[in-house]
Amino acid sequence: MRVLRGLCAAVVVAAALVVPVPAASAATGTDPVYDFAGAVRETVWVDIGRDGDGDGKPDRVAADIVRPKEPAAQGTKIPVIMDASPYYSSVGRGNESEFKTYDAQGRPVGFPLYYDNYFVPRGYAVVLVDLAGTNRSTGCVDVGGTSDVQSAKTVIDWLNGRATGYSAKSGGSKVTAGWANGSVGMIGKSYDGTIANGVAATGVDGLKTIVPISGISSWYDYYRSDGASFGFGPDGLAQTVEARNGGQDCSAENSKLAQGATANGDYGPLWAERDYVKQAKNVKASVFVSHGVNDLNVKTINFGQWWDALAASGVQRKIWLAQTGHVDPFDYRRAEWVDTLHQWFDHYLMGIDNGIEKQPMATVERQPDQWADQSSYPAAGVAATTLRPRAGSTAGVGTLSTSASSGTASFTDNLKGTEDGWAGNPATTSANRVLYSTGTLSSPLQVSGTSSITVTATPSTSSARLSAMLVDYGPATIRNYAGAGEGIKTGTNETCWGSNAPGDDACYEVTSADTTNVGYTVISRGWADLANYQSLSQEQPLTPGQPYTMTFRLASTDHVVPQGHSLALIVGGTDTDVITGPAKGPKLTIDLAKTSVQVPLVGTPPASPRMPKAPAGPLAHIESRAPLDLR
């Protein structure tokens, strides 16, 4: 945890004034008119109607609240901004890993992040909820399941008078939220944003909007990919977030997690319970998504499939896509993010007609710190385009176009493959992958949306993995998403975003883009277990020498391949940096006539491409990947 130090380099928002006037103005939006230092700080424990730890007592989740005292004194009820998290006492929140703090009587003092500092003076309450089994809540966390979702949903019910809250963790007197108007907006990064998705998928009354930042939409797609396993399961995460919350025995719940998340990558009941995409039809709240297109932690298929499912439900949507990895927009575009978030909450929680819903739907980072607005995501004019690999004069290397293909190509899975190893020498034969390129583009191509690949492969063994990726070949300066900061560098100066109070300041270290020069950029990835060719729910042993056809997804993105670059498809076996491999690596023979990739494109790829001239040596790319950290 970084300790906030000294004076801020720039005070962006002045200290709140105590002025007895309404906090909302249709002309200007909400202003910081309420006293933050004198705000009410309290904890309410809400009964979620479960007994997850089996102790014979209903689980109660702790909701730490900070709210301006003036509105209640004036008889005015206010909306709530909520962040429900398992991390308030385990790994912390934000780029500076802030934890909740309490005084000697157990009253909340320090609220992580800037939400309270910025929004409480503007007439909002901020409620930070400890998921069941974490920090000061009883029960057990279940990593995106019913307990996690109920932890936050029931607090919304309490804010609307439909659930019971208490003044203590056990016993205590009943507490009501007479100060709340029932309107709630949920926000949070990673696990927190995931819970926002899950609660929205219940259709709970009172939830008006959610802002999921790098959030999961289906936990299967956090731990697995089309039958392939990423090699870890939810029980480990549960134990991490429960570690500092003594007094509960969660071994039974953790055992359920371990057993339900089968190592073979099959989609089963545990994953179905945690699949919010299938419940997206229930969503009534507006949704403001933010995600890094190079997030290798919460992979981008999570925002893509959620976004597409929400489109069918007709809810108001907005999206920001950055070049970063797993990073909060507060740490890569701070001023613009806070301003946009302010307008968003003012509109959907305060009812202010500020036009935010009429602004461009999508904002995309094209180059580090260079942003472009789009009227929609996927981009207007996008068309699902089928590209087919065609053999060239070099074995395992050929062209990619809309033309029909024929023939075969082979490679061997040595169980040591990586995307950089496969992509580094695009014009030469590799024993471990095949590569097909559009050749040099005479005009740009924009990949906007979610791609998929259909592969017909004949394995030499009874099990096989497939990895596929789309690559933009050409020199570029990009955010160093595989570095320690996943595309950002953290400085020592600070800026302040709201009002300060003893033990809870609004100042955060300034960040900047961490960039690197590359010769190619991987823009979309996907992985699969060929044994799941018939069903994700049940793998089938493969018969060596028999062809199998499988369609699997590639990561959602929005990327422009510039004129003069080329777009390539690479197919390999086990990407050892990401998925677990079979016991023995097979030789895989690809039927090119029955293999294709469907890409959402704006622009027309060359009908008869020519391979670009071979580079002098291996191309530069990012050589390391940041460790996964679901924060």
Side-chain angles (χ1 to χ4, degrees), residues 9 16 121 168 183 224 226-228 257 313 366 389 409 421 522 561 578 584 597 619:
S183 294
R224 308 288 186 260
D226 290 284
L257 292 172
S313 67
R366 292 290 173 220
V522 179
V561 184
V578 183
K584 180 180 180 181
V597 60
L619 297 176

Side-chain angles (χ1 to χ4, degrees), residues 13 39 52 78 105 141 240 247 314 336 355 369 388 422 451 549 563 630:
V13 181
I78 60 175
Q105 288 73 44
V141 74
T240 296
E336 294 84 355
D369 290 327
R388 304 179 187 278
W422 294 332
S451 303
T549 299
Q563 178 181 345
L630 188 57

